Amino acid sequence: MSGLLTAGQLGSSDVETLFDLADSFLEVSSRRMPKVPALKGKTVVSLFFEDSTRTRLSFETAAKRLSADVMTFPVASSSVNKGESVRDTIETVDAMGIDALVVRHRCAGVPHQIAGWTSASVINAGDGAHEHPTQALLDAFTMRQHFGSVAGLRVAIVGDVRHSRVARSNVALLASLGAEITLVAPSTLLPATLDGWPVTVSTSLDEVLGVVDVVYLLRMQTERMREHLVPSLREYRMRFGLTSERAALMKPGAVIMHPGPMNRGVEIGGEVAELPNALVVDQVRNGVAVRMAVLFWLLGSGGHQTDQPSELAEVDREGAADV
Amino acid sequence: MSETVVLAGGTVVDADGERRADVRIDQSRGKIVEVGAELDVTGSEILDVSGAYVMPGLVDVHAHLRQPGREEAETVETGARCAALGGYTAVVAMPNTTPAIDCAAVVREVLQLGSSAPCDVHASGAVTVDRAGEALAPMAEMAALGVHLFTDDGAGVQDPGLMRRAMEYARDLGVTLAQHCEVDALAAGGHMHEGEWSVRLGIPGQPAESEELMVARDLMLARLTGARIHIQHVSTAASVAMVRAAKADGLAVTAEATTHHFTLTHAECASYSPLFKVAPPLRTDADVAAIRTGLADGTIDAVATDHAPHTQESKELPFEQAPPGMLGLETALALAMTHLGIPMTELVQRMSVGPARIAGLAEVHGRPVAGGEPANLCVVDPGATWTVDPNQTASRSRNTPYGGWTLQGRVVHTVLHGELVVANGEARR
């Protein structure tokens, strides 16, 4: 495996390895000097055809904490915007000698296409309505951290599943780890068919609120009204928004998650994100550790490994200067 | 130098069936002189075609030759060469050029470009001005130049009121309205068939109903107006069923299906390769089975290629941004012989006789292989296998989805108005 394109490509032992690595990297991130020389000499390029400051920063932070050289390909101001094809761009970047490409694109399948044009590891940082595997990994890692295990958890994924790469990756990963998933959305926001999906479906958030361990809210895009998928954001909030009133009906011990960025006042009540059982900040923190794990797993010496690597030793003074 | 050539030792196959016979052609007159077993070949050039079928030249009612406007992808000349190499002696060029073929001037340009091509090139005309679906194109002035098929191919005529008037107007002219059936509002920008694969791949899909709704509408309008209509690239089981029922009801409707819609399914899109992006999209196994049945029982009158050249760059775009379409002229006959499983005499109906009638070319193409008939012929060796190599095409483009496929049946010679335009698999012009 030369990259991470989908959550489904990960076997359960891969996921365990990544989670164990992420545990170590969380420890690294809590150090006074949160940096290790694990990927010193490796070059990671972030190539975001679609803007996503938070995901890009998370990946770049992860790569820097592993002492990789990190470059941002400035798509907006580059030759891509002057009509250069993606393939020409990739072949140009590839010729410079790089180890990993972190790719975000608004169209499904672009990381797959790119993987055919480069020898570098390609990491899918979100492709259209297809997949966002590191988001699913950090979400599952956060659930495991909070509950001890993902197996047996009841998870409601609420909102625009139809257009959501986060939902697709999470369904694949969480189901493989033994969670029970319920998709909660109006039929207009569900995929055209759910044949073969390991999920149950509800069109009522109120019916599932009291029984699930995790309420996972998806971002509601405002352009969905123009596509006749919901009549108004007001009506969406009325049926599927996690208001303070609804949050109070959740099962004791249940948690709230959101991949960000949040539309406060739409899918999540303005103050709900601040509740003690909202794990949104944990997700962001864990995101860096999980992406460190993915980068190390793909690029670390000897390829994928399970042992605690010696590279996790404190970074030397020379390396520290790079921070 | 002899004026006649004898295709000797082959099996003649046409609408009347198969028979062992030699075919003597008068090259200067462009006619078949005589057909019979063991002809006297004295004084004639002899072409040994033993083991091969000698059949009427193929006719494609649906080819995109890209000229004028997109010459980097194809020209009339290169497209016609693909056609000749594929055994075709006539093709109908679709009007979605730049400018569109929507008036006499552009019709003349295309016909002029095709006048020296190794295949008869006919133009279809747009139904509406600039294919914009808003105002009727001057069909009569195009019909006067011999245009018989009118279509906005690449898009369907969305407005049912406009389509009704187009049918009434076309009926007066004795021409046929052909439709690319796709209701835009329901297709909603979908880039592949909506179903388990589109959902899995995260590619926006379009439901089969976006085709079927327009098939149903146009069949109703044909009943209302009495117009002759042709359904282009039928791709779903329900569309086939509707056409079958309409024919049983006596409506003047014909239909075509492409080679890719009886050989490929939406599962191919899992590669994310835009080579498999096409309009209408590749569908399900059940749809493929229905298309094959429709071709076997004659519900679908014609195999079409929908030959749609696109540059390498455009087919390396993201799937959702790449243009739809694939090459077809050079592979169609072999795909049909390998995968359709119908007798050669039926294949002649679907690939020559039927399409010639639809295109209004039945005086010259899709004729019996008999003395006095125009010498438009295809000679194909059913025993020859070959592997499709995208780099070996005569097209300016390379976008075939069949690279690496091994097919049965290779075109050996193509005869156009008596001239050997393809000999031993090589184009002579």
PDB file of all heavy atoms in Angstrom, chain A residues 271-301:
ATOM      1  N   GLU A 271     -24.830  27.159  21.678  1.00  0.00           N
ATOM      2  CA  GLU A 271     -24.120  26.859  22.931  1.00  0.00           C
ATOM      3  C   GLU A 271     -23.852  25.357  23.099  1.00  0.00           C
ATOM      4  O   GLU A 271     -23.126  24.957  23.986  1.00  0.00           O
ATOM      5  CB  GLU A 271     -24.870  27.437  24.147  1.00  0.00           C
ATOM      6  CG  GLU A 271     -26.373  27.186  24.295  1.00  0.00           C
ATOM      7  CD  GLU A 271     -27.238  27.431  23.060  1.00  0.00           C
ATOM      8  OE1 GLU A 271     -27.156  28.516  22.418  1.00  0.00           O
ATOM      9  OE2 GLU A 271     -27.985  26.502  22.735  1.00  0.00           O
ATOM     10  N   VAL A 272     -24.411  24.566  22.198  1.00  0.00           N
ATOM     11  CA  VAL A 272     -24.265  23.110  22.349  1.00  0.00           C
ATOM     12  C   VAL A 272     -22.806  22.677  22.186  1.00  0.00           C
ATOM     13  O   VAL A 272     -22.315  21.781  22.873  1.00  0.00           O
ATOM     14  CB  VAL A 272     -25.179  22.363  21.340  1.00  0.00           C
ATOM     15  CG1 VAL A 272     -24.885  20.873  21.308  1.00  0.00           C
ATOM     16  CG2 VAL A 272     -26.636  22.618  21.684  1.00  0.00           C
ATOM     17  N   ALA A 273     -22.099  23.378  21.287  1.00  0.00           N
ATOM     18  CA  ALA A 273     -20.697  23.017  21.050  1.00  0.00           C
ATOM     19  C   ALA A 273     -19.845  23.213  22.296  1.00  0.00           C
ATOM     20  O   ALA A 273     -18.752  22.654  22.402  1.00  0.00           O
ATOM     21  CB  ALA A 273     -20.144  23.833  19.892  1.00  0.00           C
ATOM     22  N   GLU A 274     -20.333  24.023  23.239  1.00  0.00           N
ATOM     23  CA  GLU A 274     -19.550  24.279  24.457  1.00  0.00           C
ATOM     24  C   GLU A 274     -19.907  23.329  25.589  1.00  0.00           C
ATOM     25  O   GLU A 274     -19.321  23.401  26.669  1.00  0.00           O
ATOM     26  CB  GLU A 274     -19.788  25.724  24.943  1.00  0.00           C
ATOM     27  CG  GLU A 274     -19.850  26.794  23.873  1.00  0.00           C
ATOM     28  CD  GLU A 274     -18.626  26.835  22.983  1.00  0.00           C
ATOM     29  OE1 GLU A 274     -17.537  26.436  23.450  1.00  0.00           O
ATOM     30  OE2 GLU A 274     -18.754  27.222  21.799  1.00  0.00           O
ATOM     31  N   LEU A 275     -20.869  22.461  25.381  1.00  0.00           N
ATOM     32  CA  LEU A 275     -21.268  21.538  26.452  1.00  0.00           C
ATOM     33  C   LEU A 275     -20.097  20.623  26.804  1.00  0.00           C
ATOM     34  O   LEU A 275     -19.254  20.324  25.953  1.00  0.00           O
ATOM     35  CB  LEU A 275     -22.467  20.694  26.006  1.00  0.00           C
ATOM     36  CG  LEU A 275     -23.800  21.440  25.827  1.00  0.00           C
ATOM     37  CD1 LEU A 275     -24.854  20.505  25.233  1.00  0.00           C
ATOM     38  CD2 LEU A 275     -24.265  22.006  27.163  1.00  0.00           C
ATOM     39  N   PRO A 276     -20.042  20.175  28.056  1.00  0.00           N
ATOM     40  CA  PRO A 276     -18.917  19.308  28.454  1.00  0.00           C
ATOM     41  C   PRO A 276     -18.860  17.993  27.678  1.00  0.00           C
ATOM     42  O   PRO A 276     -17.777  17.399  27.539  1.00  0.00           O
ATOM     43  CB  PRO A 276     -19.175  19.044  29.943  1.00  0.00           C
ATOM     44  CG  PRO A 276     -20.437  19.715  30.309  1.00  0.00           C
ATOM     45  CD  PRO A 276     -20.944  20.519  29.157  1.00  0.00           C
ATOM     46  N   ASN A 277     -19.997  17.546  27.163  1.00  0.00           N
ATOM     47  CA  ASN A 277     -19.973  16.279  26.408  1.00  0.00           C
ATOM     48  C   ASN A 277     -19.794  16.492  24.906  1.00  0.00           C
ATOM     49  O   ASN A 277     -19.976  15.571  24.123  1.00  0.00           O
ATOM     50  CB  ASN A 277     -21.238  15.455  26.691  1.00  0.00           C
ATOM     51  CG  ASN A 277     -22.505  16.168  26.252  1.00  0.00           C
ATOM     52  OD1 ASN A 277     -22.540  17.398  26.229  1.00  0.00           O
ATOM     53  ND2 ASN A 277     -23.527  15.408  25.905  1.00  0.00           N
ATOM     54  N   ALA A 278     -19.435  17.705  24.520  1.00  0.00           N
ATOM     55  CA  ALA A 278     -19.092  17.952  23.109  1.00  0.00           C
ATOM     56  C   ALA A 278     -17.587  17.738  22.941  1.00  0.00           C
ATOM     57  O   ALA A 278     -16.782  18.320  23.675  1.00  0.00           O
ATOM     58  CB  ALA A 278     -19.479  19.364  22.706  1.00  0.00           C
ATOM     59  N   LEU A 279     -17.211  16.865  21.996  1.00  0.00           N
ATOM     60  CA  LEU A 279     -15.801  16.475  21.851  1.00  0.00           C
ATOM     61  C   LEU A 279     -15.104  17.171  20.691  1.00  0.00           C
ATOM     62  O   LEU A 279     -14.083  16.700  20.202  1.00  0.00           O
ATOM     63  CB  LEU A 279     -15.713  14.948  21.653  1.00  0.00           C
ATOM     64  CG  LEU A 279     -16.362  14.071  22.731  1.00  0.00           C
ATOM     65  CD1 LEU A 279     -16.095  12.595  22.439  1.00  0.00           C
ATOM     66  CD2 LEU A 279     -15.842  14.444  24.117  1.00  0.00           C
ATOM     67  N   VAL A 280     -15.672  18.277  20.248  1.00  0.00           N
ATOM     68  CA  VAL A 280     -15.178  18.912  19.026  1.00  0.00           C
ATOM     69  C   VAL A 280     -13.694  19.292  19.138  1.00  0.00           C
ATOM     70  O   VAL A 280     -12.907  19.063  18.224  1.00  0.00           O
ATOM     71  CB  VAL A 280     -16.037  20.157  18.693  1.00  0.00           C
ATOM     72  CG1 VAL A 280     -15.524  20.838  17.436  1.00  0.00           C
ATOM     73  CG2 VAL A 280     -17.502  19.738  18.508  1.00  0.00           C
ATOM     74  N   VAL A 281     -13.312  19.833  20.304  1.00  0.00           N
ATOM     75  CA  VAL A 281     -11.912  20.230  20.479  1.00  0.00           C
ATOM     76  C   VAL A 281     -11.002  18.998  20.542  1.00  0.00           C
ATOM     77  O   VAL A 281      -9.897  18.994  19.990  1.00  0.00           O
ATOM     78  CB  VAL A 281     -11.754  21.118  21.733  1.00  0.00           C
ATOM     79  CG1 VAL A 281     -10.287  21.458  21.969  1.00  0.00           C
ATOM     80  CG2 VAL A 281     -12.574  22.394  21.568  1.00  0.00           C
ATOM     81  N   ASP A 282     -11.487  17.941  21.200  1.00  0.00           N
ATOM     82  CA  ASP A 282     -10.702  16.686  21.229  1.00  0.00           C
ATOM     83  C   ASP A 282     -10.470  16.165  19.816  1.00  0.00           C
ATOM     84  O   ASP A 282      -9.388  15.665  19.501  1.00  0.00           O
ATOM     85  CB  ASP A 282     -11.439  15.602  22.020  1.00  0.00           C
ATOM     86  CG  ASP A 282     -11.770  16.034  23.432  1.00  0.00           C
ATOM     87  OD1 ASP A 282     -12.569  17.001  23.589  1.00  0.00           O
ATOM     88  OD2 ASP A 282     -11.231  15.442  24.371  1.00  0.00           O
ATOM     89  N   GLN A 283     -11.494  16.273  18.971  1.00  0.00           N
ATOM     90  CA  GLN A 283     -11.344  15.806  17.587  1.00  0.00           C
ATOM     91  C   GLN A 283     -10.206  16.543  16.894  1.00  0.00           C
ATOM     92  O   GLN A 283      -9.383  15.941  16.224  1.00  0.00           O
ATOM     93  CB  GLN A 283     -12.655  16.018  16.798  1.00  0.00           C
ATOM     94  CG  GLN A 283     -13.793  15.079  17.188  1.00  0.00           C
ATOM     95  CD  GLN A 283     -15.085  15.480  16.498  1.00  0.00           C
ATOM     96  OE1 GLN A 283     -15.867  16.276  17.012  1.00  0.00           O
ATOM     97  NE2 GLN A 283     -15.322  14.947  15.305  1.00  0.00           N
ATOM     98  N   VAL A 284     -10.168  17.858  17.092  1.00  0.00           N
ATOM     99  CA  VAL A 284      -9.128  18.649  16.423  1.00  0.00           C
ATOM    100  C   VAL A 284      -7.751  18.257  16.957  1.00  0.00           C
ATOM    101  O   VAL A 284      -6.802  18.047  16.200  1.00  0.00           O
ATOM    102  CB  VAL A 284      -9.380  20.159  16.615  1.00  0.00           C
ATOM    103  CG1 VAL A 284      -8.229  20.964  16.028  1.00  0.00           C
ATOM    104  CG2 VAL A 284     -10.702  20.555  15.966  1.00  0.00           C
ATOM    105  N   ARG A 285      -7.644  18.124  18.285  1.00  0.00           N
ATOM    106  CA  ARG A 285      -6.358  17.775  18.887  1.00  0.00           C
ATOM    107  C   ARG A 285      -5.915  16.389  18.402  1.00  0.00           C
ATOM    108  O   ARG A 285      -4.770  16.193  17.976  1.00  0.00           O
ATOM    109  CB  ARG A 285      -6.480  17.794  20.404  1.00  0.00           C
ATOM    110  CG  ARG A 285      -5.150  17.533  21.118  1.00  0.00           C
ATOM    111  CD  ARG A 285      -5.316  17.432  22.630  1.00  0.00           C
ATOM    112  NE  ARG A 285      -5.994  18.583  23.194  1.00  0.00           N
ATOM    113  CZ  ARG A 285      -7.195  18.521  23.797  1.00  0.00           C
ATOM    114  NH1 ARG A 285      -7.834  17.362  23.899  1.00  0.00           N
ATOM    115  NH2 ARG A 285      -7.740  19.608  24.277  1.00  0.00           N
ATOM    116  N   ASN A 286      -6.843  15.461  18.419  1.00  0.00           N
ATOM    117  CA  ASN A 286      -6.510  14.103  17.991  1.00  0.00           C
ATOM    118  C   ASN A 286      -6.188  14.046  16.502  1.00  0.00           C
ATOM    119  O   ASN A 286      -5.443  13.182  16.054  1.00  0.00           O
ATOM    120  CB  ASN A 286      -7.671  13.154  18.292  1.00  0.00           C
ATOM    121  CG  ASN A 286      -7.833  12.923  19.793  1.00  0.00           C
ATOM    122  OD1 ASN A 286      -6.867  13.078  20.554  1.00  0.00           O
ATOM    123  ND2 ASN A 286      -9.031  12.550  20.205  1.00  0.00           N
ATOM    124  N   GLY A 287      -6.753  14.995  15.765  1.00  0.00           N
ATOM    125  CA  GLY A 287      -6.506  15.017  14.324  1.00  0.00           C
ATOM    126  C   GLY A 287      -5.028  15.107  14.001  1.00  0.00           C
ATOM    127  O   GLY A 287      -4.525  14.424  13.109  1.00  0.00           O
ATOM    128  N   VAL A 288      -4.315  15.922  14.740  1.00  0.00           N
ATOM    129  CA  VAL A 288      -2.881  16.063  14.486  1.00  0.00           C
ATOM    130  C   VAL A 288      -2.168  14.746  14.794  1.00  0.00           C
ATOM    131  O   VAL A 288      -1.350  14.268  14.000  1.00  0.00           O
ATOM    132  CB  VAL A 288      -2.293  17.224  15.318  1.00  0.00           C
ATOM    133  CG1 VAL A 288      -0.776  17.267  15.155  1.00  0.00           C
ATOM    134  CG2 VAL A 288      -2.916  18.551  14.890  1.00  0.00           C
ATOM    135  N   ALA A 289      -2.493  14.139  15.929  1.00  0.00           N
ATOM    136  CA  ALA A 289      -1.820  12.889  16.312  1.00  0.00           C
ATOM    137  C   ALA A 289      -2.118  11.768  15.317  1.00  0.00           C
ATOM    138  O   ALA A 289      -1.229  10.989  14.944  1.00  0.00           O
ATOM    139  CB  ALA A 289      -2.261  12.481  17.718  1.00  0.00           C
ATOM    140  N   VAL A 290      -3.378  11.702  14.890  1.00  0.00           N
ATOM    141  CA  VAL A 290      -3.755  10.640  13.941  1.00  0.00           C
ATOM    142  C   VAL A 290      -3.053  10.857  12.603  1.00  0.00           C
ATOM    143  O   VAL A 290      -2.594   9.903  11.959  1.00  0.00           O
ATOM    144  CB  VAL A 290      -5.289  10.606  13.773  1.00  0.00           C
ATOM    145  CG1 VAL A 290      -5.692   9.822  12.530  1.00  0.00           C
ATOM    146  CG2 VAL A 290      -5.938  10.004  15.013  1.00  0.00           C
ATOM    147  N   ARG A 291      -2.929  12.102  12.173  1.00  0.00           N
ATOM    148  CA  ARG A 291      -2.258  12.368  10.884  1.00  0.00           C
ATOM    149  C   ARG A 291      -0.749  12.137  11.007  1.00  0.00           C
ATOM    150  O   ARG A 291      -0.114  11.699  10.045  1.00  0.00           O
ATOM    151  CB  ARG A 291      -2.609  13.776  10.399  1.00  0.00           C
ATOM    152  CG  ARG A 291      -4.061  13.776   9.896  1.00  0.00           C
ATOM    153  CD  ARG A 291      -4.640  15.127   9.576  1.00  0.00           C
ATOM    154  NE  ARG A 291      -5.998  14.927   9.080  1.00  0.00           N
ATOM    155  CZ  ARG A 291      -7.077  15.579   9.521  1.00  0.00           C
ATOM    156  NH1 ARG A 291      -6.960  16.512  10.462  1.00  0.00           N
ATOM    157  NH2 ARG A 291      -8.275  15.296   9.031  1.00  0.00           N
ATOM    158  N   MET A 292      -0.200  12.384  12.188  1.00  0.00           N
ATOM    159  CA  MET A 292       1.204  11.995  12.417  1.00  0.00           C
ATOM    160  C   MET A 292       1.330  10.470  12.259  1.00  0.00           C
ATOM    161  O   MET A 292       2.266   9.976  11.623  1.00  0.00           O
ATOM    162  CB  MET A 292       1.653  12.402  13.827  1.00  0.00           C
ATOM    163  CG  MET A 292       1.849  13.908  14.007  1.00  0.00           C
ATOM    164  SD  MET A 292       2.117  14.390  15.740  1.00  0.00           S
ATOM    165  CE  MET A 292       3.864  13.969  15.939  1.00  0.00           C
ATOM    166  N   ALA A 293       0.351   9.758  12.827  1.00  0.00           N
ATOM    167  CA  ALA A 293       0.389   8.291  12.745  1.00  0.00           C
ATOM    168  C   ALA A 293       0.330   7.831  11.292  1.00  0.00           C
ATOM    169  O   ALA A 293       1.086   6.946  10.871  1.00  0.00           O
ATOM    170  CB  ALA A 293      -0.773   7.694  13.547  1.00  0.00           C
ATOM    171  N   VAL A 294      -0.551   8.445  10.513  1.00  0.00           N
ATOM    172  CA  VAL A 294      -0.697   8.043   9.107  1.00  0.00           C
ATOM    173  C   VAL A 294       0.586   8.332   8.332  1.00  0.00           C
ATOM    174  O   VAL A 294       1.087   7.487   7.581  1.00  0.00           O
ATOM    175  CB  VAL A 294      -1.901   8.765   8.459  1.00  0.00           C
ATOM    176  CG1 VAL A 294      -1.899   8.592   6.948  1.00  0.00           C
ATOM    177  CG2 VAL A 294      -3.211   8.240   9.051  1.00  0.00           C
ATOM    178  N   LEU A 295       1.141   9.514   8.543  1.00  0.00           N
ATOM    179  CA  LEU A 295       2.371   9.879   7.829  1.00  0.00           C
ATOM    180  C   LEU A 295       3.513   8.950   8.224  1.00  0.00           C
ATOM    181  O   LEU A 295       4.272   8.473   7.369  1.00  0.00           O
ATOM    182  CB  LEU A 295       2.744  11.340   8.130  1.00  0.00           C
ATOM    183  CG  LEU A 295       1.870  12.395   7.453  1.00  0.00           C
ATOM    184  CD1 LEU A 295       2.084  13.768   8.099  1.00  0.00           C
ATOM    185  CD2 LEU A 295       2.181  12.458   5.947  1.00  0.00           C
ATOM    186  N   PHE A 296       3.622   8.682   9.520  1.00  0.00           N
ATOM    187  CA  PHE A 296       4.719   7.819   9.964  1.00  0.00           C
ATOM    188  C   PHE A 296       4.531   6.394   9.436  1.00  0.00           C
ATOM    189  O   PHE A 296       5.478   5.739   9.003  1.00  0.00           O
ATOM    190  CB  PHE A 296       4.803   7.812  11.492  1.00  0.00           C
ATOM    191  CG  PHE A 296       5.941   6.973  11.985  1.00  0.00           C
ATOM    192  CD1 PHE A 296       7.243   7.448  11.914  1.00  0.00           C
ATOM    193  CD2 PHE A 296       5.724   5.693  12.473  1.00  0.00           C
ATOM    194  CE1 PHE A 296       8.310   6.674  12.338  1.00  0.00           C
ATOM    195  CE2 PHE A 296       6.787   4.909  12.887  1.00  0.00           C
ATOM    196  CZ  PHE A 296       8.090   5.404  12.819  1.00  0.00           C
ATOM    197  N   TRP A 297       3.282   5.937   9.454  1.00  0.00           N
ATOM    198  CA  TRP A 297       2.954   4.581   8.989  1.00  0.00           C
ATOM    199  C   TRP A 297       3.321   4.420   7.517  1.00  0.00           C
ATOM    200  O   TRP A 297       3.845   3.396   7.096  1.00  0.00           O
ATOM    201  CB  TRP A 297       1.453   4.374   9.205  1.00  0.00           C
ATOM    202  CG  TRP A 297       0.906   3.024   8.894  1.00  0.00           C
ATOM    203  CD1 TRP A 297       1.225   1.840   9.487  1.00  0.00           C
ATOM    204  CD2 TRP A 297      -0.120   2.725   7.937  1.00  0.00           C
ATOM    205  NE1 TRP A 297       0.470   0.825   8.964  1.00  0.00           N
ATOM    206  CE2 TRP A 297      -0.368   1.343   8.008  1.00  0.00           C
ATOM    207  CE3 TRP A 297      -0.863   3.493   7.032  1.00  0.00           C
ATOM    208  CZ2 TRP A 297      -1.315   0.712   7.210  1.00  0.00           C
ATOM    209  CZ3 TRP A 297      -1.800   2.855   6.255  1.00  0.00           C
ATOM    210  CH2 TRP A 297      -2.014   1.491   6.333  1.00  0.00           C
ATOM    211  N   LEU A 298       3.065   5.483   6.730  1.00  0.00           N
ATOM    212  CA  LEU A 298       3.351   5.395   5.295  1.00  0.00           C
ATOM    213  C   LEU A 298       4.817   5.666   4.975  1.00  0.00           C
ATOM    214  O   LEU A 298       5.368   5.079   4.043  1.00  0.00           O
ATOM    215  CB  LEU A 298       2.476   6.393   4.523  1.00  0.00           C
ATOM    216  CG  LEU A 298       0.977   6.084   4.502  1.00  0.00           C
ATOM    217  CD1 LEU A 298       0.210   7.264   3.902  1.00  0.00           C
ATOM    218  CD2 LEU A 298       0.694   4.812   3.708  1.00  0.00           C
ATOM    219  N   LEU A 299       5.450   6.555   5.721  1.00  0.00           N
ATOM    220  CA  LEU A 299       6.783   7.027   5.324  1.00  0.00           C
ATOM    221  C   LEU A 299       7.895   6.616   6.275  1.00  0.00           C
ATOM    222  O   LEU A 299       9.073   6.789   5.949  1.00  0.00           O
ATOM    223  CB  LEU A 299       6.793   8.563   5.230  1.00  0.00           C
ATOM    224  CG  LEU A 299       5.765   9.225   4.323  1.00  0.00           C
ATOM    225  CD1 LEU A 299       5.985  10.733   4.320  1.00  0.00           C
ATOM    226  CD2 LEU A 299       5.848   8.681   2.912  1.00  0.00           C
ATOM    227  N   GLY A 300       7.531   6.125   7.469  1.00  0.00           N
ATOM    228  CA  GLY A 300       8.550   5.832   8.472  1.00  0.00           C
ATOM    229  C   GLY A 300       9.509   4.760   8.006  1.00  0.00           C
ATOM    230  O   GLY A 300       9.212   3.985   7.102  1.00  0.00           O
ATOM    231  N   SER A 301      10.674   4.693   8.641  1.00  0.00           N
ATOM    232  CA  SER A 301      11.705   3.750   8.210  1.00  0.00           C
ATOM    233  C   SER A 301      11.176   2.326   8.264  1.00  0.00           C
ATOM    234  O   SER A 301      10.572   1.910   9.231  1.00  0.00           O
ATOM    235  CB  SER A 301      12.933   3.887   9.107  1.00  0.00           C
ATOM    236  OG  SER A 301      12.543   3.791  10.454  1.00  0.00           O
TER     237      SER A 301
END
